C-alpha cells in the first residue's frame, strides 16, 4: 500500500482541503496508515500533477486562500484497479515485543512499565475510536448503519482499529499478570534465603565455645583428680 491510495480513498468522502485530510488521517486512518501533514501535502501535489485529483482555490477573507481537492475519473479508475490487486502481506515490527522477548536477561521491571504504558495508549485510542463510532452511528444501532450507510469502508476499518486495541489490552493484562507473579516468586525466594542466612548467623553467634576437651568431650563437668605420691619401695 502507498500513501497515494490512502489519500485517494480518503477523498471518496468528497471534496476536502489538505487540512481536512490531515484531520481525517489523524482520526480515522491513523490506525492502519500514518502520515504527517507535510507528507500529505506533498502527496496531494503529486496526485494533482498526475491528474488523479483536481485542486481548486477558495479565496478567504482575513485568512490565506485554501485549495480544495477532489477525485477525478482517472483517480477513480486508479483506485478501482488498486482494490482489485491482491495486497502485500503485512509485517509486524514492534520494538516493545523485542523488549518483552529479551526481558528475562534484562530489566524486567522497566519492560513491565513499558507494557503498562502501551495499555494506557490503547485505552486512549479506544476512547477516541468510540467517540468517532458514536458520531458515525448518529443514534443508529450498528446493524442499521451497516445496512443503510452510503459507505461502510470507514466503519469497517474503525472496527479493525478497535479490535486491535482491545487485543492489546487483553495481551497486556496477561503479560503483567505473568511478570508480577514471577517477580513475587523471586522476591519470596530471596526473602527465604536471607532469613535462612540470618538464622544461621544468629545460631552460630550464640553457641558456647568449649576448649580443653578430650576425645568425645571426656572430662566435661568432672572434678579434677587428686594426685598422690606413691610410697618409695626399698
Amino acid at each position: 500500500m502507498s500513501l497515494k491510495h490512502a489519500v485517494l480513498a480518503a477523498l471518496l468522502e468528497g471534496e476536502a482541503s489538505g487540512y481536512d485530510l490531515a484531520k481525517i488521517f489523524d482520526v480515522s486512518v491513523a490506525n492502519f496508515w500514518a502520515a504527517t501533514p507535510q507528507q500529505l501535502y506533498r502527496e496531494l501535489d503529486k496526485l494533482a500533477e498526475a491528474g488523479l485529483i483536481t485542486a481548486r482555490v477558495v479565496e478567504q477573507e482575513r485568512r490565506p486562500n485554501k485549495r480544495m481537492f477532489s477525485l477525478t475519473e482517472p483517480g477513480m479508475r486508479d483506485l478501482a484497479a488498486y482494490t482489485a490487486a491482491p495486497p502485500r502481506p503485512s509485517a509486524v515490527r514492534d520494538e516493545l515485543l523485542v523488549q518483552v522477548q529479551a526481558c528475562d536477561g534484562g530489566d524486567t521491571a522497566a519492560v513491565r512499565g513499558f507494557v503498562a504504558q502501551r495499555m494506557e495508549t490503547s485505552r486512549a485510542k479506544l476512547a477516541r475510536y468510540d467517540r468517532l463510532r458514536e458520531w458515525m452511528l448518529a443514534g443508529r444501532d450498528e446493524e442499521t448503519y451497516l445496512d443503510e450507510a452510503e459507505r461502510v469502508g470507514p466503519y469497517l476499518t474503525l472496527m479493525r482499529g478497535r479490535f486491535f486495541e482491545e487485543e492489546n489490552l487483553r495481551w497486556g493484562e496477561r503479560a503483567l499478570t505473568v511478570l508480577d507473579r514471577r517477580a513475587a516468586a523471586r522476591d519470596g525466594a530471596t526473602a527465604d534465603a536471607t532469613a535462612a542466612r540470618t538464622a544461621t548467623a544468629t545460631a552460630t553467634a550464640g553457641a558456647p565455645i568449649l576448649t580443653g576437651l578430650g576425645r568425645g568431650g571426656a572430662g566435661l563437668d568432672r572434678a579434677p583428680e587428686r594426685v598422690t605420691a606413691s610410697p618409695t619401695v626399698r
Side-chain angles (χ1 to χ4, degrees):
M1 178 178 174
S2 67
L3 180 57
K4 163 189 172 181
H5 294 107
V7 172
L8 294 178
L11 286 173
L12 285 172
E13 295 289 339
E15 188 180 50
S17 66
Y19 177 76
D20 295 332
L21 286 171
K23 289 195 299 182
I24 291 173
F25 267 72
D26 183 56
V27 174
S28 61
V29 181
N31 72 80
F32 58 91
W33 194 268
T36 66
Q38 293 78 10
Q39 291 173 322
L40 285 174
Y41 283 111
R42 288 196 296 267
E43 191 63 36
L44 287 169
D45 289 336
K46 293 178 183 177
L47 294 174
E49 291 176 4
L52 300 180
I53 63 175
T54 60
R56 68 182 182 90
V57 177
V58 176
E59 296 183 357
Q60 301 185 108
E61 294 183 2
R62 300 180 182 179
R63 298 179 63 184
N65 295 340
K66 66 178 181 180
R67 293 188 300 168
M68 300 295 293
F69 302 93
S70 58
L71 281 171
T72 63
E73 284 299 322
M76 289 291 295
R77 289 195 297 270
D78 189 287
L79 193 57
Y82 169 73
T83 60
R88 290 176 293 181
S90 59
V92 176
R93 299 180 65 180
D94 192 329
E95 187 173 9
L96 175 60
L97 293 184
V98 178
Q99 291 177 313
V100 170
Q101 186 171 8
C103 71
D104 301 292
D107 192 335
T108 305
V111 173
R112 186 201 182 283
F114 300 148
V115 173
Q117 290 174 11
R118 173 67 62 84
M119 293 175 68
E120 287 303 312
T121 300
S122 291
R123 291 189 183 99
K125 287 184 177 180
L126 275 174
R128 187 166 71 247
Y129 294 160
D130 285 343
R131 290 193 296 270
L132 177 59
R133 179 175 179 269
E134 291 179 4
W135 176 81
M136 295 177 73
L137 293 177
R140 293 169 289 184
D141 63 81
E142 185 174 85
E143 294 306 318
T144 300
Y145 174 84
L146 293 174
D147 289 341
E148 298 176 352
E150 182 179 353
R151 298 183 60 223
V152 297
Y155 191 86
L156 294 177
T157 56
L158 175 64
M159 288 174 60
R160 179 66 184 93
R162 293 182 73 253
F163 291 158
F164 180 78
E165 299 305 337
E166 288 172 351
E167 177 57 29
N168 273 343
L169 288 176
R170 284 193 294 271
W171 170 82
E173 290 170 357
R174 177 60 175 162
L176 292 185
T177 298
V178 171
L179 294 176
D180 289 346
R181 186 174 66 231
R182 289 173 64 87
R186 285 194 301 271
D187 292 344
T190 300
D192 291 344
T194 301
R197 287 195 298 270
T198 302
T200 300
T202 301
T204 302
I209 301 176
L210 303 178
T211 60
L213 298 180
R215 179 179 300 176
L220 182 63
D221 295 330
R222 291 173 58 187
E225 296 181 356
R226 185 175 182 178
V227 179
T228 59
S230 59
T232 301
V233 179
R234 295 181 180 274

